[in-house]
Amino acid sequence: MSLDVSPALLAQAQQGRVDEADFLETVRVSLPYAYQVVAGLSTELAAGQQEFTTDNTTPSDEQRAQLLRALASNAIRGSLESHFGVKLAFVNCHRVGAFRPGTEDGAAYREFTSLHNQIRNQSPELRSC
C-alpha cells in the first residue's frame, strides 16, 4: 500500500473530490523520505540558477521503496510537482531530478531521462530495486 489514508480522506474520495492539501499531507506522512527528497530538491533549485538539481544519495531499501511508490503514481508525482513547482524525473530506482517547469524539451532533461543515462546509473547492488 502506498499511502496511509485516513477515514476522512477516504470519505472525500468516495464523494468524488479530494482536497489536495489533505492529499499532500497524507503523502508527507506516509512517504516521508520521498517527500523530503522532493522538498529538498525544490529548495535547492529555487536557490540557484541551474536548470535542474538531482539527488545522488543511495537510499536504504525502505527509502527506495518510498521513492518508487511516490514517483510511480501519477497522482502522487503530479501533486508533488504542483506543490513544489518542479518537474520531476527519475532514473533507476533512486536518482531523482527536479527541473524547472517548461524545461522538459531542453537538453538537460533529455539527457537525464535518456536511455544511455539509465544505463550509466545501473549497478549490481541496485539490480533488484
Side-chain angles (χ1 to χ4, degrees), residues 4-126:
D4 297 320
V5 177
S6 70
L9 190 60
L10 181 57
Q12 285 182 32
Q14 289 171 335
Q15 293 171 4
R17 186 185 169 281
V18 173
D19 181 81
E20 190 155 8
D22 292 343
F23 181 72
L24 280 165
E25 179 60 14
T26 299
V27 171
R28 186 188 69 75
V29 172
S30 300
L31 305 171
Y33 178 77
Y35 189 94
Q36 178 186 56
V37 167
V38 176
L41 289 173
S42 69
T43 298
E44 186 177 328
L45 189 63
Q49 299 299 315
Q50 70 274 26
E51 190 173 343
F52 79 101
T53 189
T54 186
D55 180 62
N56 286 316
T57 305
T58 301
S60 69
D61 286 344
E62 181 181 331
Q63 292 167 330
R64 187 176 308 123
Q66 285 188 33
L67 288 173
L68 287 167
R69 291 194 307 270
L71 297 173
S73 164
N74 289 344
I76 295 172
R77 181 188 206 141
S79 289
L80 289 168
E81 289 175 334
S82 177
H83 178 71
F84 288 109
V86 297
K87 175 65 178 171
L88 297 172
F90 195 45
V91 176
N92 202 357
C93 59
H94 67 286
R95 189 166 179 225
V96 182
F99 290 77
R100 296 187 188 284
T103 62
E104 298 89 337
D105 290 331
Y109 186 87
R110 287 193 315 269
E111 171 65 24
F112 190 86
T113 60
S114 69
L115 299 177
H116 56 271
N117 194 43
Q118 175 70 40
I119 297 300
R120 287 193 306 247
N121 279 276
Q122 299 297 301
S123 64
E125 63 272 7
L126 297 173

